Amino acid sequence: MNDSTLVIRYLPKELVIGNGPVKYINTINSPAKMLANEQRLDSIWRKEDIWNKGVADISGKPIKDLSTIEPPRWAKWDYDLTKYYVSQMKYPEELLKKNVAGYSVAMFTIDTLGVPGIVNILTTNYKEFDQEVIRLTKELPHCLPCRDQNGKRMKCFYTVYVPFLPQHYRDRVKKDSISEEALKHCLVQWETQSYFQKDNSQSPVDYIEKRISYNPLLLGSKKETEGRYGIQLDSYGEVTKAHTISSCGISEWDNQVLQIIQTMPHWTPAVNHQGKGHYRDAVWAITFTFRNGHAYVTEHGGESNEREHTSWQSDEWKIINRSGNELLEYTVIRKDKAVKGLLIRYAHPSGSIRTLTYTYPEDIAFADNFHAEVTLKDLNFDGQDDIAIPLGSYGNQRIQYEDGYLWDKALKTYVPVKQLKEIANPRIDKEERCLFSFSRESAASYHYERYEYVDTELVKTAELIQTYRQAGGKPLFTEKHYQKGKGMRVVHASVPIHEISHYWLKIVQK
């Protein structure tokens, strides 16, 4: 030590040696030391806490098997409500000045609207902590309410542990001030779109497909027809309205689709992530295709009761036409219960049985809305059934992917479709004889692509970028077309919607 530096073990309000101030190094009360000490205390408190956290029956008894219910879920905080209190709290001023740490454990009721009710403090260090926990609980945005095994809303108790850590609080306030400044320059709101999901296995179209019943003979000589239907969802993910946007041509079929939509299990609603975060209403439009004569049959598997509906689960299926003739059969390949591939068998025109072995991508384990299956549809507009293999959806945007095989008339066999599985949210457009792709690059930018078949390969022939320059403003578009030997070339730069090619209007987000 020298005459200007002193190592001490506490933080004094004032330090004077002789006639002048002294520089000191604080080894205990530095922010880093305080953070480490607070983490140690928090770990001890959590171990000592005897209360059952999370959801409990309204009688106060713990729920032994949580798989039989859907626990409450908050928009921004998901199932970890402690994060809400830590991120939104206002630390009691006097306790913050004294660096007083502690915790509270609170239990409160949640009604069938997902709104908190009576708050009980089970244990605490200081009454000031109680007051803050009660305030924050009363200001909670509504959650998705607890549901029983039949999908019915139910009241419940919820218990949460709330730590009060002064240095963690100071760091959070500093971080929040930086984020708030960045938000002032943000032109759009950060949102997550709503999605339909049932045990990671179904899309809305899948759900309708497995429940609808219609007579394909009414199509006459048509191979298929399409209807487009609108769905309105409330902030709980429940369907409030269904209507026909464009009819399939047979009103009875339209009405049946609408009835199925109106009885759908609840969706996961859209989320606005700003502030405390909240669920919001949403509007969807889906296209359903009525086909002339495909059905799935199996002699294996069993009935699966998935809370709000019943379905048949099997790893072996046959696809037959309306005359009962088998078109194709497939078996799911598993390893230690994990899906690895498909064994597909089909009849060759010569009368022999041919086999395809399909291997799923390695990241299929991370897919949502995934169900190992094969569908038959015309992918390249030649009038022949091709094989389509859904790959599920990925990420917060629920981007869907698909793989498949085309029927090669010359070779009389199925050949892989190159590039298909790399295309985000593929949508077949028979009128344009192309495949459209849609994805969101950021909260203020959407990306669209158009693909056309050249032999058995998909070639990108056009792309469009939709950008919002200011909140509430109209978007501008940059369009590119493929030119042989030159690649993609800009044909429109930052233009309004009426100047882009007409075919984009089918998929552009309004």
Side-chain angles (χ1 to χ4, degrees):
M1 162 187 347
N2 56 40
D3 60 353
S4 63
T5 302
L6 180 65
V7 178
I8 63 175
R9 290 294 177 182
Y10 59 91
L11 179 61
K13 293 183 178 179
E14 187 176 316
L15 180 63
V16 177
I17 294 181
N19 296 322
V22 175
K23 176 183 178 182
Y24 62 86
I25 300 172
N26 173 27
T27 62
I28 289 295
N29 293 339
S30 68
K33 288 286 186 179
M34 290 181 67
L35 285 172
N37 190 46
E38 289 174 4
Q39 288 171 350
R40 181 182 63 82
L41 289 172
D42 185 41
S43 177
I44 293 171
W45 293 333
R46 289 176 186 268
K47 290 178 181 178
E48 292 178 345
D49 181 15
I50 62 172
W51 303 100
N52 291 315
K53 264 73 69 190
V55 65
D57 188 82
I58 196 62
S59 66
K61 297 179 181 179
I63 298 172
K64 295 181 180 179
D65 186 1
L66 290 177
S67 66
T68 62
I69 67 159
E70 291 183 41
R73 181 179 179 186
W74 284 267
K76 190 171 181 178
W77 318 106
D78 209 28
Y79 301 106
D80 188 355
L81 199 53
T82 295
K83 291 181 180 178
Y84 161 74
Y85 290 91
V86 170
S87 68
Q88 302 296 316
M89 71 168 54
K90 295 178 182 178
Y91 214 100
E93 188 174 351
E94 290 303 315
L95 296 181
L96 182 63
K97 288 179 181 178
K98 297 176 182 178
N99 284 330
V100 175
Y103 70 96
S104 289
V105 177
M107 182 173 70
F108 56 92
T109 59
I110 300 176
D111 64 20
T112 55
L113 294 177
V115 177
I118 300 172
V119 185
N120 294 300
I121 301 299
L122 302 180
T123 186
T124 188
N125 299 108
Y126 295 90
K127 66 178 182 179
E128 291 87 349
F129 292 160
D130 298 352
Q131 294 166 357
E132 181 61 8
V133 169
I134 292 171
R135 180 188 72 83
L136 288 169
T137 304
K138 290 180 177 179
E139 294 181 0
L140 260 175
H142 86 72
C143 65
L144 299 184
C146 191
R147 294 176 184 266
D148 63 19
Q149 60 186 353
N150 297 315
K152 184 180 179 180
R153 298 186 190 191
M154 56 183 280
K155 295 179 181 179
C156 68
F157 278 116
Y158 198 90
T159 303
V160 61
Y161 164 89
V162 184
F164 286 80
L165 308 171
Q167 190 56 46
H168 281 75
Y169 174 78
R170 293 187 186 97
D171 288 354
R172 192 216 86 201
V173 171
K174 185 184 297 183
K175 183 179 178 181
D176 286 352
S177 65
I178 297 172
S179 299
E180 287 174 10
E181 185 63 28
L183 282 174
K184 293 178 182 178
H185 305 285
C186 184
L187 302 179
V188 295
Q189 294 183 335
W190 179 30
E191 295 185 350
T192 302
Q193 70 176 8
S194 54
Y195 61 92
F196 181 76
Q197 181 179 352
K198 193 66 181 174
D199 296 337
N200 295 333
S201 65
Q202 293 182 323
S203 72
V205 174
D206 293 332
Y207 184 85
I208 296 170
E209 184 77 53
K210 292 180 179 180
R211 286 156 182 79
I212 197 164
S213 175
Y214 60 92
N215 183 1
L217 293 174
L218 296 177
L219 287 172
S221 60
K222 287 184 179 180
K223 193 169 185 179
E224 60 186 42
T225 185
E226 290 182 346
R228 192 162 174 81
Y229 308 95
I231 305 173
Q232 292 185 16
L233 305 170
D234 64 16
S235 59
Y236 295 92
E238 296 183 351
V239 177
T240 58
K241 184 179 179 181
H243 65 281
T244 300
I245 299 174
S246 59
S247 173
C248 68
I250 302 175
S251 60
E252 181 183 343
W253 293 2
D254 290 332
N255 291 336
Q256 191 178 166
V257 170
L258 297 180
Q259 290 172 3
I260 293 172
I261 291 173
Q262 289 168 340
T263 57
M264 276 183 169
H266 64 278
W267 297 43
T268 297
V271 176
N272 184 310
H273 290 270
Q274 289 190 333
K276 295 184 176 75
H278 63 272
Y279 292 112
R280 54 179 293 273
D281 299 349
V283 177
W284 273 68
I286 62 171
T287 300
F288 186 80
T289 303
F290 298 86
R291 295 185 173 88
N292 195 346
H294 290 166
Y296 289 74
V297 297
T298 184
E299 299 174 353
H300 305 277
E303 190 174 72
S304 173
N305 294 306
E306 298 177 350
R307 293 181 183 166
E308 297 167 56
H309 67 271
T310 300
S311 61
W312 194 271
Q313 301 294 323
S314 176
D315 281 349
E316 299 180 35
W317 290 95
K318 295 179 181 180
I319 303 178
I320 61 175
N321 61 20
R322 68 184 187 187
S323 300
N325 299 320
E326 183 177 323
L327 304 175
L328 175 150
E329 64 180 66
Y330 65 91
T331 302
V332 179
I333 301 172
R334 296 180 183 269
K335 182 178 180 181
D336 298 328
K337 295 185 178 181
V339 174
K340 295 296 181 180
L342 295 166
L343 183 64
I344 303 170
R345 302 179 185 87
Y346 64 95
H348 189 265
S350 65
S352 63
I353 301 299
R354 300 291 174 90
T355 300
L356 291 172
T357 301
Y358 177 79
T359 302
Y360 282 104
E362 291 184 2
D363 61 355
I364 198 68
F366 305 104
D368 290 324
N369 299 323
F370 170 68
H371 183 63
E373 64 179 333
V374 170
T375 62
L376 293 177
K377 58 185 178 182
D378 186 2
L379 294 173
N380 60 345
F381 321 107
D382 63 354
Q384 296 288 327
D385 277 334
D386 303 305
I387 294 174
I389 302 172
L391 299 180
S393 58
Y394 295 80
N396 290 334
Q397 298 178 35
R398 307 285 168 177
I399 297 176
Q400 296 181 350
Y401 293 93
E402 188 174 75
D403 206 349
Y405 296 85
L406 298 178
W407 177 255
D408 189 308
K409 294 180 180 179
L411 298 175
K412 292 183 172 54
T413 189
Y414 286 104
V415 296
V417 187
K418 297 180 179 179
Q419 292 86 34
L420 179 58
K421 66 182 178 182
E422 308 299 328
I423 298 174
N425 296 317
R427 173 181 161 185
I428 296 172
D429 192 300
K430 295 178 181 177
E431 183 180 358
E432 295 290 335
R433 297 179 66 83
C434 73
L435 187 150
F436 284 115
S437 169
F438 158 74
S439 61
R440 190 171 74 173
E441 294 187 335
S442 69
S445 180
Y446 297 85
H447 190 199
Y448 310 89
E449 295 176 326
R450 175 182 171 129
Y451 292 84
E452 298 178 33
Y453 281 96
V454 177
D455 296 324
T456 59
E457 292 191 23
L458 280 166
V459 177
K460 183 167 68 174
T461 58
E463 64 179 282
L464 184 73
I465 298 175
Q466 175 184 3
T467 305
Y468 289 86
R469 301 289 174 84
Q470 61 183 15
K474 293 184 178 181
L476 295 176
F477 298 84
T478 295
E479 184 176 2
K480 298 180 182 180
H481 288 180
Y482 175 77
Q483 295 180 10
K484 191 173 182 179
K486 297 181 180 179
M488 304 301 294
R489 289 290 186 266
V490 175
V491 294
H492 296 111
S494 299
V495 300
I497 191 169
H498 66 268
E499 294 188 29
I500 64 176
S501 299
H502 72 280
Y503 50 76
W504 295 118
L505 301 179
K506 296 182 176 183
I507 61 170
V508 163
Q509 298 293 300
K510 302 297 193 297

